[in-house]
Amino acid sequence: MAANPSSDSTQPKPSLYLQDSEELRRVFNQFDSNGDGKISMTELDAVLKALGTSSSSIDLHRVMEDLDSDHDGFISIDEFAAFCRQGCDDGGAAELRDAFDLYDQDHNGVISTAELHKVLNRLGMNCSIEDCSRMIKSVDSDGDGNVNFEEFRKMMSNNVANGTKASSVNQ
């Protein structure tokens, strides 16, 4: 959000891996469902609902106020990029945990194949259970068939350090 993020869990959090302009544009376009180059409050609400977050009208207005720096009622790609850069100011620790928690739907401390499949498909990224299983196997260092937070952190740290995208989990 803005420089003073609240602790409201209904507000979206910036992501570590959105520093690449192509990845940033791809995520922005997921939000911008009508392709007009800006994110409306309705589009923001739809994405939050797809992620399993129910937001009140007041919360949505607060998010828009925080992100819409030119106060035109929409979030532009530049405003979205500024929001994503903000998340990296503290090294992204809190945002990394929030990203992990988004996938860990049952909050048991691991991301299962079923959870990954559910979240990615809710986001419109059609992938099979087999695809999700392969994604998990690629980062599952302890061989339990799930991704725990430490495995997720290492994967994200390697992606950022190598200048690659986290698309292995997001496609």
Side-chain angles (χ1 to χ4, degrees), residues 6-166:
S6 74
S7 62
D8 185 348
S9 63
T10 62
Q11 296 182 1
K13 303 290 192 277
S15 210
L16 272 182
Y17 56 87
L18 294 181
Q19 300 309 298
D20 177 280
S21 61
E22 182 181 317
E23 184 76 6
L24 181 90
R25 172 65 67 182
R26 190 182 67 75
V27 172
F28 180 84
N29 289 340
Q30 285 287 137
F31 282 76
D32 179 20
S33 61
N34 67 1
D36 66 357
K38 52 193 175 187
I39 299 169
S40 68
M41 191 174 313
T42 302
E43 289 168 323
L44 181 62
D45 186 37
V47 170
L48 292 175
K49 284 179 181 171
L51 294 174
T53 301
S54 177
S55 299
S56 70
S57 177
I58 293 169
D59 291 335
L60 283 172
H61 283 284
R62 190 176 327 133
V63 170
M64 288 301 286
E65 285 175 13
D66 286 347
L67 296 179
D68 180 20
S69 60
D70 65 5
H71 308 290
D72 67 352
F74 298 95
I75 302 167
S76 68
I77 186 73
D78 292 335
E79 291 165 334
F80 186 73
F83 167 68
C84 292
R85 280 191 302 272
Q86 237 177 359
C88 292
D89 290 347
D90 70 350
E95 288 75 17
L96 187 59
R97 175 51 80 174
D98 288 335
F100 179 83
D101 290 344
L102 170 74
Y103 289 95
D104 181 16
Q105 297 276 292
D106 63 8
H107 307 290
N108 68 347
V110 295
I111 301 168
S112 69
T113 300
E115 288 170 319
L116 180 61
H117 183 258
K118 182 178 180 180
V119 172
L120 293 181
N121 283 285
R122 275 187 179 170
L123 291 171
M125 299 173 196
N126 297 323
C127 62
S128 68
I129 288 283
E130 294 78 20
D131 292 335
C132 292
S133 179
R134 279 191 295 275
M135 288 180 223
I136 285 185
K137 284 179 186 173
S138 73
V139 298
D140 179 18
S141 60
D142 64 10
D144 67 354
N146 298 299
V147 175
N148 62 38
F149 182 72
E150 186 59 24
E151 291 164 336
F152 186 79
R153 185 190 64 74
K154 285 179 184 174
M155 177 199 66
M156 296 302 288
S157 296
N158 288 341
N159 285 336
V160 171
N162 295 331
T164 61
K165 297 175 215 153

